[in-house]
Amino acid sequence: MVAVVAGVAIGLVGGAFRWCLQVADRWRYELLTWAHHAPGPAWLIPVAVTAFGAAAAAAIVSRIPLATGSGIPHVEAVARGESTPPGLLVVPARFVGGLLAIGSGLVLGREGPTVHMGAALGTATGRAAHLADPDVRLSQSAVAGAGLAVAFNAPVGGALFVFEELTGRFRARTMIPTLLAVATAVACSRLILGNRPDFDVDAQSSPAIGWLAVFVVFGLVTGLLGIAYNSLVTGFLEIAARVRRVPPVAVAAIVGGIIGILLVVDPLSAGGGDTLSQTAVGGGALALPAVVGFLLVRFVAGPLSYAAGTPGGLFAPLLAVGALWGLLFAGAVDALVPGAHDLRVPLALVGMAAFFGATVRAPLTGIVLVVEMTATAELTVQMAAATAAAVLVAELAGAAPIYDSLRGRDSVRRPGESG
């Protein structure tokens, strides 16, 4: 019953959060369109809006420090008994702060706030039911997975996230409340958002088995790319932490201004990345030079946005980078091997899963998330091969998964430190 009640709560709250972000995205594009056609330095207005949104989100974090960043590292710390569960203040802080940061155009994902809001609602419901502390932790983990499921309309992926990433084990005592929370949450969120996969992808046929070696090589190189991306995330966080004389709100405003300039140059350069991912996996006409440009910009803009310290996650931007990387690799293969043009969409889809696996080190979750978000299951063999290769490279290199690195940082506070 605790799982069901908390699942209803995160389904409605997470669904409302996603709906608000969709409205904010439309407003942002309308503002950018107006700025491009308005006389004078009208382009400064979108830049100022993004800077203000980032600064306002950082101001919320200054009052509720636990609202910073993704929130997933804290949920993992609670699941491992390293921290105490989040309080209910996290919910409004994450909702409003995430809406300001992500809605204004920072390259951040919606899943971080929804996972952390789910954890807080699971905790509050468990405490209201007078559960023992271990069961409260279980409740927060189960409903956190429901939050991820709502973020991507991916119920099985949300459940796998709990088993593979949060708890690290499959047990009936964990599975039953998780599945109940996930099913209830996604059902409620669909009342608000509708029941469609996140991305529209044409029916795919599995490439010939002879191409499997290409996907394995792609996965091996993707593992190196994932290591570099994680290093950028932690590196930008280190730089932001060392700038002690500049208030965090000012740092966020500076980052927001930089991202705002990118938005003015091209709206696809920043933001969560769903539109760009849809273009890539939907077979849209993206010229190879544009793919290279977007990939380079977003590869840096995502870690830079995360360093602003505002509420927002890493998953959605990761998927966009993976899809672009798949298109780029397909272009390279096409230049060397005739007939490889048909691999553009398959490599974009596989790139999403493989890059997720290389950075987060949760391969099953990444594969299932992509399958559910695209309603495409024909490429599971290629996804498995490429993702396994990417994870193998990252493991052999001794690179830590991104949330292991983030969990030990000072930015992850205990609720008692948040006021």
Side-chain angles (χ1 to χ4, degrees):
M1 289 305 299
V2 168
V4 170
V5 170
V8 169
I10 189 54
L12 297 176
V13 172
F17 182 66
R18 285 196 61 178
W19 183 85
C20 289
L21 285 177
Q22 291 171 2
V23 173
D25 284 346
R26 290 197 296 270
W27 287 354
R28 188 174 69 249
Y29 279 110
E30 290 172 4
L31 177 62
L32 290 167
T33 302
W34 170 84
H36 276 292
H37 295 91
W43 61 272
L44 289 172
I45 295 178
V47 174
V49 168
T50 306
F52 174 80
I60 291 174
V61 170
S62 68
R63 301 295 300 272
I64 313 291
L66 201 59
T68 188
S70 169
I72 292 176
H74 179 252
V75 175
E76 290 187 353
V78 173
R80 288 164 170 77
E82 300 168 0
S83 185
T84 53
L88 269 179
L89 277 179
V90 165
V91 177
R94 284 279 176 188
F95 194 106
V96 178
L99 185 58
L100 286 167
I102 304 169
S104 65
L106 293 187
V107 186
L108 296 170
R110 61 187 176 269
E111 78 293 329
T114 55
V115 167
H116 213 190
M117 287 190 290
L121 291 169
T123 297
T125 308
R127 286 174 174 165
H130 304 292
L131 298 183
D133 284 347
D135 291 328
V136 170
R137 294 178 187 275
L138 175 57
S139 177
Q140 81 100 32
S141 297
V143 187
L148 182 69
V150 169
F152 294 127
N153 192 22
V156 180
L160 271 176
F161 173 73
V162 176
F163 310 141
E164 187 177 29
E165 180 69 14
L166 295 185
T167 65
R169 54 185 179 271
F170 292 78
R171 293 170 49 189
R173 185 171 179 273
T174 305
M175 292 175 63
I176 293 173
T178 297
L179 293 175
L180 287 172
V182 164
T184 308
V186 173
C188 290
S189 69
R190 287 176 177 175
L191 296 176
I192 300 172
L193 302 168
N195 184 15
R196 291 180 56 83
D198 276 19
F199 300 119
D200 292 323
V201 180
D202 293 336
Q204 299 293 311
S205 57
S206 180
I209 196 66
W211 290 110
L212 190 59
V214 172
F215 287 92
V216 173
V217 173
F218 173 67
L220 294 173
V221 183
T222 302
L224 298 175
L225 199 70
I227 295 171
Y229 193 86
N230 287 359
S231 297
L232 268 182
V233 172
T234 55
F236 276 125
L237 285 172
E238 288 290 345
I239 293 172
R242 290 176 182 174
V243 187
R244 301 181 185 275
R245 295 183 179 180
V246 182
V249 173
V251 171
I254 293 170
V255 172
I258 296 171
I259 300 301
I261 294 172
L262 293 178
L263 284 167
V264 171
V265 174
D266 193 313
L268 294 179
S269 298
D274 279 4
T275 303
L276 198 54
S277 297
Q278 174 60 62
T279 304
V281 302
L286 272 176
L288 203 57
V291 171
V292 173
F294 285 132
L295 178 60
L296 291 175
V297 168
R298 295 189 67 91
F299 196 86
V300 176
L304 178 63
S305 296
Y306 196 82
T310 62
L314 294 167
F315 281 14
L318 284 176
L319 296 176
V321 169
L324 289 168
W325 165 236
L327 288 182
L328 178 59
F329 194 87
V333 173
D334 189 37
L336 298 173
V337 183
H341 180 73
D342 293 339
L343 296 181
R344 280 175 57 87
V345 173
L347 274 168
L349 291 166
V350 171
M352 296 168 79
F355 192 60
F356 183 97
T359 53
V360 180
R361 223 64 54 78
L364 292 178
T365 300
I367 292 171
V368 173
L369 278 177
V370 173
V371 169
E372 288 188 287
M373 293 175 74
T374 61
T376 302
E378 290 79 9
L379 301 170
T380 50
V381 172
Q382 291 76 13
M383 285 185 188
T387 304
V391 172
L392 177 63
V393 167
E395 288 289 330
L396 291 177
I402 187 59
Y403 291 121
D404 284 1
S405 298
L406 295 177
R407 196 166 63 248
R409 295 189 54 83
D410 291 338
S411 58
V412 180
R413 308 285 186 88
R414 293 178 184 269
E417 298 170 338
S418 67

